[in-house]
Amino acid sequence: MPNVSVERIERDLFELSRFGFNETNKGVYRQSFTEADMAARRWLMELFEKEGLTPRMDGAGNVIGRYGSMDKPVVMAGSHIDSVPAGGIFDGALGVISGLECVRTIRDNNIQLDYPIEIVGTSEEEGRFGGMLGSQALTGNITLAWLENAKDENGIFLKDAMADHGLDYHGVMHAYHDRNKLKAFLELHVEQGPVLEAEKKTIGVVDGISGVFKWIVRLIGKADHAGTAPMNMRSDAFLGLADFAHQIQRIIDEEGTEKSRITIGHVELKPGFPHTVPGEVDFTIVGRDLDEDVMKGLANACRRVLSTIARKHRLMFEYEEMSWLEPKYCSSNIVNMIEQKTKSRDYSYIRMPSGAGHDCQFFTEITETGLIFVPSVGGVSHAPDEWTHWIDIERGSNVLLDCLIDLATD
Ligand SMILES: [Zn+2]
């Protein structure tokens, strides 16, 4: 069995991490369409070229290296090379560099392929402009109207950020990868959570990506003087929230699965003064599960419980559903293949869902798609001390290699 060279992966990951690296806090600042991000894209194009892949940058800023000239559907592998502010060196970058290393290993071992392989470093996965631009463009999940309106937190328009680097946003619509010319899509990614480490497993064979709903909830009571309003005559919005927070575990026990998550991530008390009974609380609920019916059960239970609590505390209850993203499933052929390849290398593994979104979720709609996880030390990600042990990187990359060879040969 051929093996990847983890030394080459390490070398390239560190070299890539220099783009946007902050010496003070050791974080990577490679947000999409910044100077650092674009310099990294040019570096990747050169590296592809040097290693015998034919590089191109599409209209969305995706960098793609093609190996093999046969006119047949492509086996694609990759991930993103943009980062969050103060990100780590593995998130996204691993999927691109390990993909490249797989191609190098195929080349060095003279393995003959029947289908071409393309390695992609996608653009703007971390959502600076509120989406996953690169993979949405590749899979045809984008509209011109959205492109024209998308802006970041500082009010900078996507189209202007692109224009700063000589990219015309109309070009995004040309990045679409004809689905008939796509055989499969594979992504190797760090887990970004604590499960693999806790379970002492090397490989996460991902079944799918959890669906997500986001609500904005408002409980309205009455703002009163904190000294003069008797405890039994208040309509305290915060007490309603506190009661609900206590019910979350029960909602999951009754309606959810071990894959369910419910989070209150943002809370705003009004008026928010120490000496005033809070007359209103606005907060978010984000719920996730891998099964859409379970998501509906969770959402219904949240609504029921909030109504009951509102009555108890004399509050008005309103909510708005801001988004509902359905779960995405990896194809069973590829999931089984990843499992088989992992077993035949004698690596430990578990089947698991992905709680976070990834590039591959858009590919599930148009081609056979698989996602491989390797452990994150301490579950840490999106932070400078994000780490994955090199032995796990080597093993995850070997699984990716075996799958790529299988998919790219008849
Ligand atoms: Zn990522």
Side-chain angles (χ1 to χ4, degrees):
M1 245 182 237
N3 287 301
V4 299
S5 156
V6 75
E7 290 78 19
R8 290 195 295 209
I9 295 176
E10 180 177 353
R11 181 197 65 201
D12 290 346
L13 277 175
F14 275 118
E15 216 171 299
L16 175 53
S17 76
R18 292 208 322 258
F19 295 93
F21 193 74
N22 181 298
E23 282 300 336
T24 313
N25 69 5
K26 308 294 174 193
V28 176
Y29 290 73
R30 202 164 56 234
Q31 298 95 299
S32 60
F33 301 115
T34 56
E35 286 299 333
D37 179 50
M38 295 309 290
R41 283 170 202 284
R42 290 190 293 273
W43 169 83
L44 186 60
M45 300 251 293
E46 281 166 26
L47 183 59
F48 279 161
E49 177 117 60
K50 199 179 90 192
E51 301 288 3
L53 291 80
T54 309
R56 66 179 192 273
M57 187 188 289
D58 69 18
N62 296 309
V63 171
I64 300 170
R66 185 183 176 101
Y67 180 76
S69 55
M70 53 292 249
D71 185 21
K72 284 205 178 162
V74 162
V75 180
M76 199 177 230
S79 192
H80 56 100
I81 63 167
D82 63 315
S83 82
V84 294
I89 72 167
F90 297 101
D91 179 5
L94 173 63
V96 185
I97 298 302
S98 66
L100 169 63
E101 175 55 25
C102 290
V103 169
R104 284 192 291 228
T105 308
I106 288 167
R107 177 200 67 194
D108 293 352
N109 287 275
N110 271 318
I111 296 165
Q112 296 306 308
L113 304 179
D114 300 303
Y115 298 86
I117 292 178
E118 286 185 350
I119 307 302
V120 58
T122 65
S123 63
E124 170 50 359
E125 189 270 354
E126 296 290 4
R128 175 183 167 195
F129 297 96
M132 291 190 188
L133 180 75
S135 43
Q136 283 181 257
L138 282 165
T139 57
N141 263 290
I142 205 136
T143 64
L144 208 51
W146 185 87
L147 287 168
E148 279 162 1
N149 292 314
K151 47 186 171 180
D152 72 4
E153 276 189 347
N154 299 315
I156 297 170
F157 280 93
L158 169 64
K159 57 184 180 184
D160 295 334
M162 292 183 75
D164 283 347
H165 300 286
L167 293 166
D168 176 349
Y169 71 96
H170 291 92
V172 173
M173 304 308 281
H174 289 284
Y176 175 63
H177 201 299
D178 183 352
R179 66 179 69 192
N180 297 318
K181 292 191 175 148
L182 207 50
K183 191 160 187 279
F185 182 85
L186 291 176
E187 182 169 7
L188 174 67
H189 203 283
V190 289
E191 182 202 341
Q192 304 180 283
V195 176
L196 286 173
E197 187 179 64
E199 302 268 339
K200 300 190 169 56
K201 304 290 191 220
T202 302
I203 302 291
V205 180
V206 180
D207 295 310
I209 290 138
S210 295
V212 190
F213 65 88
K214 178 178 167 189
W215 285 8
I216 291 185
V217 181
R218 183 167 297 144
L219 293 174
I220 303 162
K222 191 158 152 284
D224 272 320
H225 191 291
T228 59
M231 296 306 284
N232 65 349
M233 292 173 68
R234 295 180 176 192
S235 301
D236 186 329
F238 177 73
L239 290 186
L241 166 62
D243 259 11
F244 176 70
H246 263 292
Q247 296 298 321
I248 287 177
Q249 189 57 53
R250 190 176 63 79
I251 291 171
I252 288 181
D253 291 344
E254 287 175 4
E255 302 287 339
T257 67
E258 76 284 345
K259 292 165 184 166
S260 302
R261 310 278 185 267
I262 295 177
T263 307
I264 300 171
H266 180 86
V267 171
E268 201 179 347
L269 283 180
K270 291 177 183 172
F273 295 122
H275 295 284
T276 305
V277 176
E280 181 177 327
V281 58
D282 300 355
F283 61 100
T284 55
I285 297 177
V286 170
R288 296 173 196 265
D289 197 85
L290 194 55
D291 182 318
E292 194 161 25
D293 287 334
V294 173
M295 287 170 66
K296 286 177 188 159
L298 294 171
N300 287 334
C302 286
R303 191 162 36 225
R304 257 193 335 266
V305 169
L306 279 165
S307 306
T308 307
I309 287 171
R311 266 198 307 280
K312 178 177 151 199
H313 291 281
R314 295 181 291 272
L315 305 170
M316 254 174 56
F317 156 50
E318 302 172 346
Y319 79 100
E320 195 180 342
E321 186 177 286
M322 304 306 288
S323 59
W324 182 279
L325 301 176
E326 62 202 26
K328 302 286 184 189
Y329 300 103
C330 297
S331 52
S332 55
N333 285 344
I334 307 252
V335 174
N336 292 335
M337 177 186 288
I338 294 169
E339 190 170 7
Q340 282 311 315
K341 303 296 184 194
T342 304
K343 275 186 188 165
S344 64
R345 288 211 181 237
D346 245 343
Y347 301 154
S348 60
Y349 73 95
I350 46 169
R351 299 271 289 250
M352 64 189 296
S354 172
H358 293 293
D359 284 302
C360 66
Q361 71 195 57
F362 292 99
F363 288 87
T364 58
E365 310 272 302
I366 67 162
T367 191
E368 298 222 272
T369 300
L371 176 59
I372 305 164
F373 276 166
V374 285
S376 295
V377 175
V380 176
S381 185
H382 282 188
D385 51 357
E386 169 183 284
W387 193 256
T388 295
H389 292 302
W390 296 114
I391 182 74
D392 293 327
I393 299 240
E394 180 177 14
R395 289 173 176 165
S397 304
N398 279 333
V399 172
L400 178 64
L401 171 68
D402 293 348
C403 291
L404 281 176
I405 292 172
D406 197 314
L407 285 163
T409 46
D410 280 322

